[in-house]
Amino acid sequence: MSLSSIYMLVGFTNCFFFEVSCSKSEFSLEGDYLLGGLFTLHEIDHETPLFSPETTECFRHSPSKSGYQMLQVMRFAVEEINNSTTLLPNVSLGYDIFDHCSNTFNFHSILSFISNNGSIKPKEKLNNYQPKVIALTGPFGSTQTITIAPLFTMDLIPMVNYGASSYALSNKLKYPAFVRTMPSNKDLIEMIIHIIQWFGWNWVAFLGSQDDYSSDGLKLFNTYISNAGICLAYQESLSLNANYSLTLQKIDMLDINVIVVFAMPQYASKIIKAAIANNIQDKVWIASQAWSMNHKLPREPGIGKIGTIIGITERLLTLPGFNEFVYKDRRSTDVTHNEESEIQSKTCNQVCDYCTLLTAEEIINEKPTSSFAIYAAIYTIAHALHKVLQCDMNGCRKNTVVKPYMLLGEIKKLDFPLNGRQVKYDDNYDPPINYAVVLWHTDVNPPQFEMVGTYDTYPELTFTINNSLLPWYNNGSVPFANCSAECMEGFSRQPRSFHSCCFTCKKCPRNSYVDYSRDPFTCFPCAENEWSDEGSTTCKTRSVVYLQFTEIFSIAVMVSATCTIILLIVVRSAGGSMCLLMLICLILSSISAFFFFGNPTFALCLMRKVIFTFFFTVCISCLTVRSFQIICVFKMAAQFPKVHSLCAFSSAIHLISCVIWMTVSPDKPFADSWTFKDQIMLICEMGNSITLTIVVFIGWFLGFLCLLFSYMGRDLPKNYNEAKPITFSLILYYLSWIVYFTAYLSVKSKYVTLLNAMAQISSINGILFSYFIPKSYIIIFQPQKNTPAYFQTSIQNYTQTISRT
């Protein structure tokens, strides 16, 4: 048999059932445009395996007062719209309502909705096909909705739902005709995460049921907590026949104190009852919207011991006139009860024995969590029809042919106020969020639900909880619900399991810090220009230090160098050509002291060492030659009179060594960032140790020769005995550099560089004051001793003295 024939047969069957008048039934109302309604009037609270082919019959299962109340809200909204003079003024709405308790049993009603005069044409074009209803609302539950939604999608019949929150239904490629007036699971999960983060929890369990509602929620929860610092310590999707006690015992063993129960009411009821039976105590239970306002569970004996129950529900809004509508309808029902009982058993395919037995108070007092969603769904359809019919104050254009897809196009554009709330839809046909956080008070009779927080996305995203309204079981303090206690400031986390919430703490070492917002598991190193102590959360900027020109010590050294240069110029007449060479070298050596101040550069580092090292060594070589000449004159009878070449030779060797030093590895600027934690010291780093040693060795070796020759001439005539001044100057030279190198190796400070400059000035002044100043004194104040005759007499006297001995 073809698919078309099957649809025709089913449609004919439905048509047969509805031949009996439903005009007096609360499940049906005639009107210009017909709406469909699907409500859960009976609940299947246990799973019974079928061993023989049979269809589920709704009336054999538990009655659902809340489902019946939802039905009354739809009837109330339709009546209110039909009585309106501004919304659809000359148009009446009708409805067909069915009990939606089972997926298998529901297809009769669905096929009735999409049929046209009892038949269905699957390949009919949208412009030609006119189904029985122009739109519908319901059913309650994601699984039920996902099962039937494709049948409405093929004809683009608006399915304005009040009770299906699965985020999968937001996919408009798969469900283009699906609209909802309640938030999706995505919004619900985001709010649950907001609650967990609000109290600083991160070690939670997630319990759901084996349906699309829970599986969708679990998938979204796992996705969103990955970047929220929350760990899912335990998760399970439970069937109605599952071992709930074992599940709760596992949660208790894992020391989990926050349990998210994202399940339909019948599953949540089994979980809470099992918690009471197994003496599970002092937990925080987060109830999803599906059971957060359950009126039976709070009355369970012992429920107060299991801990604190926080529920999430849509912000409750009263429907003005609804109570009066129910009272009036109940009075009418009581009068005609006997007349309708026989009709209701035959018409509209409905069997609801308890429906007419409920009092007005029972209907009104039933949980109103979905009331506004149903109310908004009916008004959404009415406003869209109002737009399609181009209604105004004078009426609607009833001659307009209305197709369901036309309503769908108008729904996305809607934006209207309804009982103080704005009704509008985004690109996925999802509404703005108006959630409330409710606290269960189970210690009073009757139990109460107190609103302690809100979550809104319109006109802007806001979330808040009044902590003072939460009397926690733990002496009023927020319960601890973390795998590990938070690390103290400056400590990083060290993982101790695959869960990021389980860790030990380790203090971050010096020059590192921990940034909890960036990565609490890592001690990040400070930048080169920053520093930190152990256990820091930030780095501080280092101060850059070097010898400034303006420092008092720097000024003192530069003044000393200037005075030395002036004195060297003054004593330029202290001797012959060799003395002049020595003075020039000392003057040039003194100039190098000015390069020790300011920000070190490669040129400054080179000039401060090379100039002094080379020219002072030339001076030492001259002094050595001078000492050797005097020894030759007085003790060797001028057997080695020409030794000036020694000075040139040693200077050449030293020049070559200096060139090699500057070429291979010269002094260069260096930023010392580890000596002081809070400073970067700019210094000149010594170059290659081998080349530096050769350069220094040449100078020190010449000094040693000079000392040796001076010692040999210690008994020369007084006026020409240079042993004492030379020895003094060289000893001062050696001591100055020993002090400097000792400080360099043992002390780290910018003032070590100052000691280097002082060592140079001290070495120069040693030669100046011990060698040149006395000569200048003789030249200026005792000129008679500065003659060749005096010199010859001194030599002869010394020679005669030596010969007699």
Side-chain angles (χ1 to χ4, degrees):
M1 183 181 292
S2 66
L3 180 63
S4 178
S5 300
I6 295 175
Y7 277 125
M8 291 286 288
L9 178 61
V10 175
F12 175 79
T13 304
N14 286 330
C15 181
F16 173 77
F17 275 117
F18 294 115
E19 285 179 355
V20 182
S21 171
C22 292
S23 59
K24 294 184 179 182
S25 169
E26 59 184 342
F27 296 103
S28 182
L29 177 69
E30 294 181 356
D32 297 326
Y33 298 96
L34 200 64
L35 309 183
L38 297 173
F39 298 94
T40 303
L41 302 180
H42 296 85
E43 290 181 344
I44 301 177
D45 53 6
H46 63 276
E47 296 172 345
T48 304
L50 301 177
F51 296 101
S52 59
E54 62 180 74
T55 302
T56 300
E57 294 180 305
C58 293
F59 71 91
R60 297 186 183 276
H61 295 277
S62 302
S64 173
K65 293 181 182 179
S66 61
Y68 184 68
Q69 186 212 47
M70 295 178 189
L71 178 149
Q72 298 302 325
V73 173
M74 177 179 176
R75 295 181 62 234
F76 165 68
V78 170
E79 180 177 293
E80 198 174 63
I81 292 168
N82 286 340
N83 293 333
S84 172
T85 57
T86 57
L87 183 62
L88 301 175
N90 60 337
V91 173
S92 63
L93 296 179
Y95 52 76
D96 268 342
I97 300 176
F98 291 88
D99 185 3
H100 195 94
C101 75
S102 162
N103 284 336
T104 56
F105 189 69
N106 294 329
F107 277 95
H108 294 87
S109 57
I110 305 307
L111 295 174
S112 172
F113 287 158
I114 64 176
S115 67
N116 183 358
N117 295 323
S119 64
I120 298 174
K121 299 178 180 179
K123 296 183 180 180
E124 190 74 22
K125 293 182 179 180
L126 291 177
N127 287 333
N128 299 331
Y129 190 66
Q130 184 68 55
K132 182 178 181 180
V133 298
I134 59 169
L136 78 151
T137 186
F140 185 84
S142 297
T143 299
Q144 294 88 333
T145 303
I146 290 174
T147 301
I148 64 174
L151 294 174
F152 295 97
T153 294
M154 65 181 184
D155 294 321
L156 292 182
I157 302 173
M159 192 177 184
V160 187
N161 190 275
Y162 61 85
S165 61
S166 174
Y167 186 58
L169 291 164
S170 294
N171 186 345
K172 294 302 108 179
L173 294 177
K174 294 181 66 175
Y175 307 101
F178 180 81
V179 184
R180 58 177 146 211
T181 55
M182 69 168 296
S184 70
N185 280 348
K186 172 180 174 292
D187 305 300
L188 184 57
I189 290 297
E190 285 180 346
M191 185 176 183
I192 290 173
I193 292 174
H194 276 301
I195 293 174
I196 295 172
Q197 289 180 317
W198 180 274
F199 296 109
W201 299 324
N202 64 19
W203 193 239
V204 302
F206 191 101
L207 299 181
S209 47
Q210 294 178 349
D211 51 41
D212 293 288
Y213 172 75
S214 293
S215 61
D216 185 62
L218 178 58
K219 181 180 178 181
L220 291 169
F221 190 75
N222 273 308
T223 300
Y224 291 140
I225 65 172
S226 59
N227 296 320
I230 300 171
C231 293
L232 185 56
Y234 185 84
Q235 64 182 45
E236 188 169 353
S237 296
L238 300 165
S239 65
L240 286 173
N241 300 326
N243 190 336
Y244 289 79
S245 297
L246 179 61
T247 297
L248 293 171
Q249 289 171 10
K250 291 178 181 178
I251 291 174
D252 207 34
M253 288 175 60
L254 289 171
D255 199 23
I256 302 171
N257 291 327
V258 174
I259 305 170
V260 179
V261 182
F262 201 93
M264 300 303 289
Q266 58 269 38
Y267 295 89
S269 177
K270 286 182 174 290
I271 293 172
I272 297 301
K273 290 178 180 178
I276 298 171
N278 286 271
N279 199 29
I280 302 296
Q281 297 183 1
D282 299 340
K283 304 292 184 184
V284 177
W285 305 81
I286 300 179
S288 65
Q289 185 182 10
W291 66 283
S292 60
M293 297 293 287
N294 190 293
H295 282 257
K296 295 180 181 178
L297 277 178
R299 292 180 168 85
E300 287 290 327
I303 193 171
K305 296 180 180 180
I306 69 172
T308 302
I309 301 178
I310 300 173
I312 300 171
T313 183
E314 282 195 85
R315 200 83 53 82
L316 300 181
L317 290 177
T318 58
L319 301 179
F322 176 68
N323 294 354
E324 292 78 3
F325 169 81
V326 173
Y327 278 114
K328 182 183 70 174
D329 185 71
R330 288 295 94 180
R331 287 193 296 270
S332 174
T333 301
D334 292 340
V335 172
T336 60
H337 173 66
N338 294 330
E339 299 176 5
E340 288 188 353
S341 58
E342 183 178 353
I343 296 176
Q344 288 190 8
S345 65
K346 298 178 181 179
T347 64
C348 302
N349 200 20
Q350 304 299 299
V351 179
C352 186
D353 296 332
Y354 77 93
C355 291
T356 54
L357 300 178
L358 292 175
T359 64
E361 288 76 11
E362 287 179 301
I363 297 172
I364 294 169
N365 293 332
E366 193 58 34
K367 62 176 183 178
T369 52
S370 298
S371 295
F372 183 79
I374 299 166
Y375 189 70
I378 303 302
Y379 267 87
T380 293
I381 298 170
H383 273 273
L385 182 60
H386 186 92
K387 295 287 186 181
V388 172
L389 294 175
Q390 301 178 11
C391 301
D392 54 26
M393 297 300 295
N394 299 321
C396 302
R397 299 181 182 181
K398 299 183 68 173
N399 58 342
T400 302
V401 177
V402 178
K403 302 292 184 180
Y405 71 87
M406 297 178 181
L407 297 179
L408 195 62
E410 294 294 337
I411 288 176
K412 183 180 289 188
K413 305 174 188 177
L414 294 179
D415 188 355
F416 62 91
L418 185 64
N419 280 16
R421 188 175 293 178
Q422 204 68 18
V423 178
K424 58 185 299 185
Y425 302 94
D426 60 18
D427 292 339
N428 296 324
Y429 291 104
D430 290 334
I433 311 305
N434 298 103
Y435 272 134
V437 182
V438 294
L439 175 69
W440 286 26
H441 288 284
T442 58
D443 54 344
V444 295
N445 190 18
Q448 296 179 359
F449 302 94
E450 181 184 11
M451 188 174 78
V452 296
T454 58
Y455 177 66
D456 297 288
T457 60
Y458 182 84
E460 61 182 0
L461 179 64
T462 57
F463 173 76
T464 184
I465 291 179
N466 189 341
N467 294 345
S468 63
L469 297 178
L470 291 163
W472 299 106
Y473 55 80
N474 188 22
N475 297 324
S477 59
V478 177
F480 180 79
N482 299 64
C483 182
S484 300
E486 281 300 322
C487 294
M488 292 189 297
E489 188 175 88
F491 285 72
S492 66
R493 299 175 183 176
Q494 303 295 308
R496 60 181 176 88
S497 74
F498 65 90
H499 284 293
S500 60
C501 301
C502 303
F503 50 83
T504 56
C505 299
K506 179 182 178 182
K507 182 181 284 188
C508 287
R510 177 185 169 189
N511 290 332
S512 67
Y513 70 100
V514 59
D515 186 348
Y516 298 110
S517 62
R518 180 181 174 188
D519 182 3
F521 292 89
T522 303
C523 290
F524 296 98
C526 293
E528 188 176 355
N529 64 335
E530 296 178 332
W531 70 281
S532 70
D533 288 320
E534 284 187 332
S536 297
T537 56
T538 58
C539 290
K540 303 174 185 177
T541 302
R542 295 175 184 263
S543 58
V544 179
V545 297
Y546 54 87
L547 275 178
Q548 304 278 353
F549 283 101
T550 55
E551 293 186 48
I552 186 66
F553 295 112
S554 302
I555 295 172
V557 171
M558 288 187 288
V559 170
S560 176
T562 302
C563 293
T564 299
I565 293 172
I566 293 172
L567 286 173
L568 287 168
I569 294 173
V570 171
V571 301
R572 66 186 183 279
S573 59
S577 59
M578 185 172 288
C579 287
L580 181 60
L581 176 61
M582 291 173 63
L583 287 170
I584 293 173
C585 288
L586 291 177
I587 291 173
L588 293 174
S589 298
S590 300
I591 293 175
S592 67
F594 293 95
F595 299 115
F596 281 88
F597 312 104
N599 189 358
T601 62
F602 181 79
L604 287 177
C605 290
L606 202 61
M607 299 292 283
R608 69 174 58 169
K609 289 287 184 68
V610 172
I611 291 178
F612 173 81
T613 302
F614 176 71
F615 288 106
F616 190 80
T617 302
V618 172
C619 181
I620 292 293
S621 66
C622 292
L623 202 59
T624 303
V625 170
R626 179 65 176 168
S627 300
F628 185 67
Q629 280 181 324
I630 295 174
I631 296 299
C632 291
V633 170
F634 282 92
K635 293 195 173 186
M636 300 181 185
Q639 295 180 18
F640 305 99
K642 294 183 179 180
V643 290
H644 293 82
S645 58
L646 177 61
C647 180
F649 176 77
S650 62
S651 298
I653 294 298
H654 192 258
L655 178 61
I656 293 171
S657 66
C658 286
V659 171
I660 294 174
W661 174 35
M662 290 185 291
T663 304
V664 175
S665 180
D667 284 13
K668 53 183 178 293
F670 176 71
D672 180 357
S673 59
W674 61 81
T675 298
F676 298 101
K677 65 180 182 180
D678 58 344
Q679 295 179 358
I680 295 178
M681 191 164 56
L682 302 183
I683 58 176
C684 289
E685 183 184 30
M686 285 190 178
N688 184 274
S689 59
I690 296 176
T691 56
L692 178 62
T693 302
I694 293 173
V695 170
V696 173
F697 174 76
I698 293 174
W700 284 38
F701 178 71
L702 290 173
F704 174 75
L705 288 179
C706 189
L707 276 175
L708 182 62
F709 294 145
S710 297
Y711 178 78
M712 291 172 62
R714 67 186 182 281
D715 56 350
L716 292 177
K718 181 179 179 182
N719 292 334
Y720 291 91
N721 188 347
E722 298 179 345
K724 290 182 180 179
I726 292 176
T727 302
F728 174 77
S729 63
L730 290 176
I731 289 175
L732 184 60
Y733 166 64
Y734 285 126
L735 287 176
S736 299
W737 287 102
I738 288 172
V739 170
Y740 165 67
F741 281 117
T742 302
Y744 178 82
L745 294 174
S746 59
V747 179
K748 296 297 183 183
S749 170
K750 68 177 181 178
Y751 294 109
V752 173
T753 303
L754 187 69
L755 287 177
N756 194 344
M758 293 173 65
Q760 292 185 7
I761 298 299
S762 176
S763 301
I764 295 169
N765 285 329
I767 297 176
L768 172 63
F769 284 96
S770 65
Y771 187 79
F772 284 101
I773 295 296
K775 286 182 177 292
S776 299
Y777 177 80
I778 292 174
I779 294 170
I780 298 172
F781 297 103
Q782 296 177 343
Q784 71 277 8
K785 293 182 180 182
N786 190 29
T787 62
Y790 186 84
F791 179 69
Q792 290 294 333
T793 302
S794 297
I795 295 174
Q796 289 174 3
N797 292 337
Y798 179 78
T799 304
Q800 291 174 0
T801 303
I802 293 297
S803 63
R804 285 197 296 269
T805 59

